[in-house]
Amino acid sequence: MSSLSFADNYLIVSEINHRFHNSLAKQIETGLSQANHSSHTITTNELKARAYSDYDSIITIGYTAASLLFQSNTSKPVLSLLIPLQAFTHLENSIDKQYRHLFSSIYIDQPVARQLELIRQLSDTFHTVGIIFGKNSHQRKENISDTVKKFSLTPKTITVFDRTELISETRYLSEESDILLAIPDNSIYNKRSIKGILLTTYRKKIPVLGYSKAYVRAGALAAVFSSVTDISRQTVETLIQNKSSGYLLTSRSYPKYFDIEINKKVAHSLNIKLRDKDIILKNMLRNAQNEQL
Amino acid sequence: MIIKTLVLTLLLSAPLHLFAIETDTAAVSIITEDDFLSDIPIVLSASRLSQPQTESATSVTIINRQMIEASTATSIPELMRMVPGFQVGFYDGNIPVVTYHGMSDIYSRRIQVLIDGRSVYIPTWGGVPWKSLPITLDEIEQIEVTRGPNAAAYGSNSFLAVISIKTFNAFDTQAGLLKLANGNNKQHQALYRVGAQTENSEFRVTIAHRGDEGMDDFADAYDEELLKFRIDYTIDNNSQFFYQSGINKNQQYEQGGDISLTHRFETSVSYHHFKWERNLDDKSSVSVQLYRNQYSLNNSSLSTEINLTSADLGYPAGITFDPFRITLDSSSEASRQDLEVNYFYKPSKSLRTVSGFSTRRDSVKSEALFDTSETFTTDVSRAFGHAEWTMTPQLIINTGIMIEDHQISDTSYSPRIALIHKFTNNQSLRYSYSTANRAPSTAEESINITYRPSLTVSGTGICVLVTTLTCENGTDNIVAVPNLNSIGGLDFEEIESNEIGFYGDYFSNKLTINAKIFHDMISDIIVDISPNEDGGFENSQMLIAKGIEFGSTFRPDHDLYLNLSYANISITDKTQGAYSTVEVFSNSAPKESYGLSILKQFKSDYSLSLEYFQIGEMRWTDIGSLTEPYDILNLKLSKKTRIAGSKLTYSLLLKNLSGEYNDYNEYGNVSANNNSSMSERIRLEVELQGF
């Protein structure tokens, strides 16, 4: 367990001019204030010049802020927000083991199990789940495949290291899958590749389950995600709970609160009959409580 | 020749690329919150999403990439055999003709073919230069075939059917591709494709050379060289454009007017195509398309020797003339320029609309065909609108109209209305009524072929100028070489089509059934009346075409795929009057035709494809005799493997295993005594992808 304890004066370090980050910082400030905690937000540029010994603990928003703290030899506990699991693990591995207990996180990623639960709730017609792994995610292949099987679904995976093969491999994967599960890996999913992936799967009548709202807007069938409000709520709750219990209950956790987005136009075009969004979300929330998804 | 050299050079340099494969798995990059939070381009915008087939207003057959790869087809026309109601023939053994419900000669004028939305129709005689199109099977993502008129969406000449070919965008084809093929009858092919990308754009370049010696004992060999380029550019998250261009230079051999003399003709087809699309918001988008096609044919041959007697020319008896030959020339230049603007708007969940306009100019120049150096231009302006209204979850109304102002045939209106009743989400019944027009081609309207052979009196060298030559079906040593002069003033051909269609998919799309009953009335058909008159064309015939079509796909698992097609077509000639027997359309489509394609993939990376087609007796309208019933059996065995990180595929194609056949009786210029026919074909293809 991390030793982020009994802190009532928080420093929030956020990236400059980032709408999502700023909004999250403000909501956390408000939430802490309502709980009679004080906090102050600075940018990553200001962090370099500012001594943060006055603060009991630090909240970083985004990868840049987190990496600065990992490199800072801080003795203060740090809670990292808006950071992907892969990036947090990378930063953690970059420091000496004896300091790792200072760092905790609420990842930006959704647990794969939650994505699979969404697949299961969307429709009964999805049996085989296609997954593309790349150089930033192939280490998780075995774990994720096992998780897919736990949901009584069949994993069909490919690993693509050569970007020029991405589309042809996606085409072959689509022929053997009912739905493509996108997992965070920017060697596979990026602004340049997403067009080819979405068009290729669409022509094969295979929907994509994205990992952000932007993917749904671009053409994915659905995604589970956490909003600014969801993350700030969990953050404030975690900090308050920490205050009262003396330690962080969950030092590294996935988002607790979430929402789903569905692209009904894509569903209609692919002739996929989906369950009602409210029912899906309700079922997911219920199962999340029961199964810790 | 330049392209051939380029192909060879690149093929020789290919191994260098093999060593440049990106296999550095250790170079892990960091995933940041930007990968979750950044906006990404809207790919499947509302305008790009097609409606499910259960809601389609027309009968549609999709030939997808998997079917193309599984097929033994080495050309697009061969793929069309899989589509119910389609007929495919090879005039002179090497000129593909594709039609739907018959009614075609060598120039299949009544179907529209679009490549990425660009019409490839030749304005000279009409029809599509399949052999010379700058396109390869390897770049086709899918082919969507609308079986039935669709002028409301695509304008005139979308008369009997529309073949819409969609090619990969450049991003899809970044992996290098090298393909080599060889087979009997000197079949050969070399293709090299390479892609590249920058921050906002992707490119593709393709070069290819291919050829075939054709049938045994017959001059139908061809060779072609192709060069293509495409760029897809993402301007921002809501807008993008593509530009593509290509050229195909084709040399074909044929036995011309005198079949003992082989001659070569050359075709060159090139194009430029630009399309810009922008999503205005979640409900609307706009696109602008501009293209130019250029077509050039250089073809002249000599007739057989003509021996005229003094009686033929009304001269006193006793004068004899030296035998002579006529140059039969069909050389021509043609171009098509088109600008089209489309606006998509979805004002509510239950209504979506498309509207737009276009302007087009067709230009044709041929001294041989028109007896003038003048360029004929035909301007066409079009406005169109479509609406799809989902009245209830079960009932959809789809309606549209195309208004076309055509320089040759004035203004035409092509409306369509379809009522679609969905029993369930996966089964629907459709009634559709539509009309369409076919505008006369430039040649039909304005042709003026005049032969001016010079005769010499035997033994004297005295020239006699013969200004016209109308010797028809004379004695054995006089060939029929009539002049052909269009009367002009032609009107649109018209079709009025009624169909009831059913579409259903079962077991989570594992089984699909696509069936329709149709009744088409076609009137004012333009026919060549030259056998009755002194050449020319006239709107004179009327037909009723009716029948049923059935298509089904079955895919019980990911390793097995079946495609089944059946068509029963009956055409009745309702023409009254003097020209009722000028052209015979009533048996221009087979009464029955069947198709079966099976693909089986094995765990060992082998796959086996089988195709069987059976086509009933039919008659191409420019051939005097019937094409006898025939069947085609093809097999393909493929093996996939990996080499140095690239995918290597070997394929063995065995075609025409059920015996020889003729799919275009007499093969045009081949005499009835020539036994040339399509015989067994063996072909080995090797494909290396991903370097």
Side-chain angles (χ1 to χ4, degrees):
Chain A
M1 296 296 169
S2 169
S3 61
L4 180 66
S5 59
F6 296 100
D8 57 4
N9 191 14
Y10 300 96
L11 177 66
I12 303 173
V13 185
S14 177
E15 275 191 57
I16 192 166
N17 291 334
H18 202 303
R19 186 172 50 85
F20 198 94
H21 296 57
N22 295 345
S23 177
L24 180 58
K26 275 184 188 165
Q27 289 203 24
I28 293 171
E29 275 189 9
T30 306
L32 288 172
S33 168
Q34 286 168 353
N36 297 320
H37 290 279
S38 63
S39 61
H40 181 68
T41 302
I42 61 168
T43 67
T44 47
N45 289 343
E46 293 170 304
L47 176 70
K48 292 167 191 170
R50 183 183 286 262
Y52 38 83
S53 54
D54 296 344
Y55 299 93
D56 297 300
S57 35
I58 303 160
I59 299 164
T60 64
I61 300 180
Y63 173 75
T64 306
S67 61
L68 287 173
L69 264 297
F70 269 94
Q71 293 161 15
S72 68
N73 297 323
T74 180
S75 58
K76 304 289 182 183
V78 178
L79 174 63
S80 297
L81 306 177
L82 293 192
I83 187 164
L85 165 68
Q86 183 249 25
F88 185 81
T89 308
H90 171 80
L91 291 175
E92 196 176 41
N93 290 338
S94 69
I95 61 168
D96 198 289
K97 276 184 183 174
Q98 61 177 313
Y99 300 113
R100 289 183 190 171
H101 67 280
L102 290 170
F103 293 91
S104 56
S105 172
I106 298 172
Y107 305 128
I108 192 171
D109 322 45
Q110 300 293 323
V112 172
R114 190 176 290 162
Q115 290 181 291
L116 293 165
E117 178 64 19
L118 175 57
I119 288 174
R120 197 163 64 174
Q121 292 294 335
L122 281 168
S123 168
D124 295 329
T125 59
F126 303 135
H127 304 293
T128 305
V129 179
I131 308 170
I132 309 172
F133 292 97
K135 64 182 182 182
N136 301 326
S137 57
H138 68 104
Q139 306 86 347
R140 301 173 65 199
K141 186 173 177 177
E142 204 170 314
N143 279 344
I144 291 177
S145 296
D146 288 344
T147 310
V148 174
K149 288 173 193 163
K150 282 178 190 163
F151 278 76
S152 302
L153 298 167
T154 307
K156 185 76 193 177
T157 64
I158 54 169
T159 306
V160 179
F161 293 139
D162 180 0
R163 61 176 168 74
T164 63
E165 284 196 353
L166 178 59
I167 297 305
S168 59
E169 291 294 326
T170 303
R171 197 176 305 125
Y172 291 119
L173 183 68
S174 301
E175 282 165 11
E176 302 188 351
S177 308
D178 299 321
I179 188 167
L180 179 73
L181 169 64
I183 55 166
D185 183 339
N186 50 18
S187 75
I188 301 296
Y189 300 98
N190 53 58
K191 278 189 179 182
R192 282 153 66 175
S193 68
I194 192 61
K195 180 179 173 185
I197 293 172
L198 284 174
L199 278 177
T200 302
T201 50
Y202 176 70
R203 286 168 189 154
K204 293 283 182 187
K205 297 189 181 300
I206 302 301
V208 175
L209 195 96
Y211 53 81
S212 74
K213 260 178 112 168
Y215 274 80
V216 180
R217 189 164 174 262
L221 175 68
V224 54
F225 65 96
S226 297
S227 63
V228 167
T229 308
D230 292 330
I231 298 167
S232 68
R233 181 182 168 194
Q234 184 179 355
T235 304
V236 172
E237 282 178 3
T238 302
L239 295 173
I240 291 170
Q241 206 162 21
N242 170 69
K243 172 78 178 166
S244 58
S245 62
Y247 56 88
L248 256 183
L249 291 176
T250 311
S251 60
R252 289 167 188 120
S253 66
Y254 285 107
K256 182 177 170 187
Y257 304 106
F258 58 88
D259 198 354
I260 58 170
E261 185 84 356
I262 293 174
N263 190 328
K264 287 184 179 173
K265 291 173 197 162
V266 169
H268 177 252
S269 180
L270 294 175
N271 208 27
I272 299 168
K273 197 169 184 179
L274 300 177
R275 293 193 178 93
D276 186 75
K277 182 189 168 184
D278 293 341
I279 295 172
I280 293 172
L281 189 58
K282 194 175 154 191
N283 289 344
M284 286 182 71
L285 289 168
R286 188 187 61 227
N287 291 344
Q289 281 179 342
N290 294 341
E291 300 173 28
Q292 298 296 307
L293 296 178
Chain B
M1 192 62 205
I2 293 168
I3 296 175
K4 198 184 284 184
T5 310
L6 262 172
V7 171
L8 286 170
T9 308
L10 286 164
L11 293 187
L12 289 171
S13 66
L16 297 174
H17 296 271
L18 294 180
F19 294 104
I21 297 163
E22 194 182 315
T23 53
D24 183 8
T25 58
V28 172
S29 56
I30 298 299
I31 303 167
T32 73
E33 69 273 25
D34 284 341
D35 294 307
F36 291 79
L37 303 177
S38 297
D39 277 339
I40 48 180
I42 296 174
V43 181
L44 301 179
S45 59
S47 58
R48 203 188 278 260
L49 291 170
S50 58
Q51 74 265 65
Q53 266 193 283
T54 44
E55 297 177 11
S56 174
T58 53
S59 297
V60 176
T61 297
I62 305 282
I63 301 174
N64 61 30
R65 185 68 211 163
Q66 188 186 22
M67 293 165 77
I68 293 169
E69 286 181 3
S71 166
T72 62
T74 51
S75 66
I76 300 170
E78 290 173 88
L79 288 171
M80 292 301 122
R81 294 192 201 274
M82 288 194 266
V83 184
F86 267 76
Q87 293 81 45
V88 178
F90 285 79
Y91 183 96
D92 270 1
N94 64 2
I95 301 175
V97 183
V98 176
T99 188
Y100 178 67
H101 293 177
M103 304 177 218
S104 179
D105 56 16
I106 185 176
Y107 305 107
S108 179
R109 304 175 184 86
R110 297 178 181 94
I111 61 169
Q112 179 69 274
V113 180
L114 305 167
I115 300 177
D116 296 324
R118 174 177 60 92
S119 166
V120 292
Y121 192 83
I122 303 176
T124 316
W125 277 106
V128 172
W130 288 107
K131 204 76 170 182
S132 316
L133 285 179
I135 187 168
T136 65
L137 282 181
D138 303 276
E139 66 189 287
I140 298 174
E141 173 75 45
Q142 74 173 31
I143 303 174
E144 188 177 301
V145 185
T146 303
R147 295 180 286 118
N150 205 358
Y154 300 111
S156 65
N157 302 332
S158 305
F159 192 78
L160 294 174
V162 180
I163 299 171
S164 178
I165 300 166
K166 290 177 182 164
T167 66
F168 289 116
N169 66 38
F171 187 89
D172 294 339
T173 49
Q174 288 294 294
L177 175 70
L178 173 67
K179 188 171 184 177
L180 299 170
N182 215 314
N184 65 344
N185 296 66
K186 296 190 178 173
Q187 299 173 72
H188 59 280
Q189 180 184 10
L191 181 146
Y192 182 76
R193 186 176 74 201
V194 66
Q197 59 183 198
T198 66
E199 180 63 27
N200 295 313
S201 59
E202 296 89 30
F203 309 83
R204 171 173 79 216
V205 176
T206 307
I207 52 177
H209 171 81
R210 60 186 171 188
D212 190 333
E213 193 143 89
M215 296 185 290
D216 298 329
D217 308 320
F218 186 58
D220 59 347
Y222 85 93
D223 262 295
E224 70 171 3
E225 292 167 347
L226 176 147
L227 175 63
K228 292 193 69 172
F229 170 77
R230 174 169 177 146
I231 174 172
D232 287 86
Y233 189 89
T234 303
I235 301 165
D236 56 40
N237 284 347
N238 288 305
S239 55
Q240 59 199 332
F241 74 79
F242 75 64
Y243 165 76
Q244 47 181 319
S245 65
I247 183 167
N248 181 317
K249 285 187 175 292
N250 189 314
Q251 298 175 1
Q252 288 177 255
Y253 292 85
E254 68 173 9
Q255 287 162 297
D258 183 343
I259 61 168
S260 66
L261 302 175
T262 296
H263 78 282
R264 187 178 76 174
F265 67 94
E266 294 170 346
T267 314
S268 171
V269 178
S270 61
Y271 74 97
H272 299 274
H273 187 186
F274 171 84
K275 187 172 185 179
W276 171 83
E277 294 171 290
R278 179 164 183 79
N279 297 316
L280 302 173
D281 52 42
D282 284 352
K283 294 177 177 173
S284 61
S285 66
V286 64
S287 69
V288 178
Q289 170 175 271
L290 179 67
Y291 65 80
R292 177 184 167 82
N293 300 333
Q294 185 76 36
Y295 174 80
S296 167
L297 172 67
N298 185 2
N299 186 14
S300 66
S301 65
L302 290 175
S303 71
T304 53
E305 274 195 350
I306 299 173
N307 285 293
L308 292 183
T309 66
S310 54
D312 288 325
L313 301 171
Y315 284 18
I319 302 176
T320 57
F321 300 98
D322 292 323
F324 69 97
R325 293 174 189 268
I326 290 173
T327 301
L328 303 171
D329 195 347
S330 57
S331 301
S332 62
E333 302 275 338
S335 68
R336 167 166 284 188
Q337 298 170 88
D338 190 288
L339 171 69
E340 181 176 308
V341 177
N342 255 287
Y343 175 66
F344 173 90
Y345 181 48
K346 194 173 191 300
S348 70
K349 280 184 179 175
S350 59
L351 183 64
R352 58 183 219 163
T353 65
V354 181
S355 56
F357 65 90
S358 74
T359 178
R360 172 181 291 175
R361 168 165 285 191
D362 288 342
S363 302
V364 176
K365 184 179 180 183
S366 171
E367 282 202 56
L369 296 179
F370 303 107
D371 200 28
T372 173
S373 58
E374 183 187 340
T375 298
F376 290 80
T377 58
T378 306
D379 291 332
V380 183
S381 301
R382 304 187 301 183
F384 53 87
H386 307 270
E388 185 191 77
W389 180 28
T390 306
M391 294 177 71
T392 70
Q394 286 76 38
L395 185 63
I396 298 164
I397 294 183
N398 189 311
T399 184
I401 188 167
M402 170 79 70
I403 302 167
E404 192 165 272
D405 184 29
H406 197 281
Q407 193 175 328
I408 293 179
S409 305
D410 295 332
T411 305
S412 72
Y413 301 88
S414 303
R416 180 188 69 205
I417 184 160
L419 300 174
I420 300 132
H421 175 68
K422 292 176 75 175
F423 303 110
T424 69
N425 202 38
N426 301 314
Q427 288 94 35
S428 66
L429 191 66
R430 173 188 71 248
Y431 167 72
S432 174
Y433 168 85
S434 62
T435 71
N437 300 286
R438 180 181 81 82
S441 66
T442 305
E444 286 171 318
E445 177 68 13
S446 307
I447 197 160
N448 181 10
I449 298 176
T450 303
Y451 299 107
R452 297 189 180 86
S454 289
L455 287 183
T456 49
V457 177
S458 299
T460 67
I462 298 170
C463 288
V464 178
L465 183 67
V466 181
T467 55
T468 59
L469 189 66
T470 56
C471 313
E472 294 172 21
N473 306 318
T475 57
D476 286 345
N477 53 2
I478 297 178
V479 293
V481 279
N483 293 328
L484 191 56
N485 306 105
S486 180
I487 300 163
L490 293 173
D491 206 349
F492 286 105
E493 292 183 352
E494 291 179 2
I495 183 169
E496 190 177 294
S497 176
N498 287 273
E499 69 171 56
I500 296 172
F502 171 82
Y503 181 83
D505 74 61
Y506 303 88
F507 316 117
S508 303
N509 217 28
K510 287 189 169 69
L511 173 69
T512 68
I513 292 174
N514 188 344
K516 79 166 186 174
I517 304 172
F518 64 92
H519 183 284
D520 298 340
M521 189 171 77
I522 305 120
S523 55
D524 285 335
I525 296 177
I526 300 167
V527 293
D528 177 0
I529 60 170
S530 56
N532 282 20
E533 299 287 324
D534 186 17
F537 296 87
E538 192 165 300
N539 295 93
S540 70
Q541 297 207 329
M542 192 170 108
L543 304 172
I544 301 278
K546 56 187 177 182
I548 58 170
E549 287 173 9
F550 175 84
S552 179
T553 59
F554 181 52
R555 191 174 182 178
D557 56 50
H558 295 299
D559 298 330
L560 183 63
Y561 184 86
L562 275 83
N563 183 66
L564 191 68
S565 67
Y566 170 76
N568 184 311
I569 306 165
S570 167
I571 301 176
T572 309
D573 200 328
K574 296 284 186 183
T575 310
Q576 305 287 324
Y579 302 132
S580 60
T581 57
V582 168
E583 281 194 42
V584 180
F585 286 92
S586 55
N587 47 13
S588 62
K591 177 77 179 162
E592 288 189 307
S593 54
Y594 307 84
L596 171 68
S597 306
I598 303 172
L599 167 67
K600 173 68 182 167
Q601 288 177 322
F602 300 95
K603 300 288 179 202
S604 52
D605 284 335
Y606 280 96
S607 64
L608 181 67
S609 308
L610 179 147
E611 294 166 347
Y612 180 73
F613 305 104
Q614 192 177 84
I615 297 96
E617 182 182 83
M618 64 170 284
R619 178 180 180 274
W620 298 95
T621 62
D622 50 356
I623 300 295
S625 56
L626 290 163
T627 296
E628 298 295 322
Y630 62 96
D631 57 353
I632 303 172
L633 175 64
N634 301 329
L635 281 176
K636 181 175 181 177
L637 179 66
S638 296
K639 161 76 176 165
K640 285 179 183 164
T641 184
R642 280 198 168 266
I643 176 169
S646 300
K647 247 184 297 182
L648 183 65
T649 308
Y650 304 94
S651 297
L652 176 67
L653 284 70
L654 303 169
K655 297 171 75 170
N656 311 332
L657 295 175
S658 56
E660 297 187 352
Y661 64 91
N662 290 334
D663 56 19
Y664 208 115
N665 196 36
E666 297 181 16
Y667 289 106
N669 288 319
V670 187
S671 74
N673 294 329
N674 190 317
N675 289 322
S676 296
S677 57
M678 292 291 179
S679 56
E680 289 86 355
R681 286 280 189 279
I682 302 172
R683 182 181 171 100
L684 181 66
E685 295 181 346
V686 182
E687 183 182 300
L688 186 66
Q689 190 171 20
F691 50 86

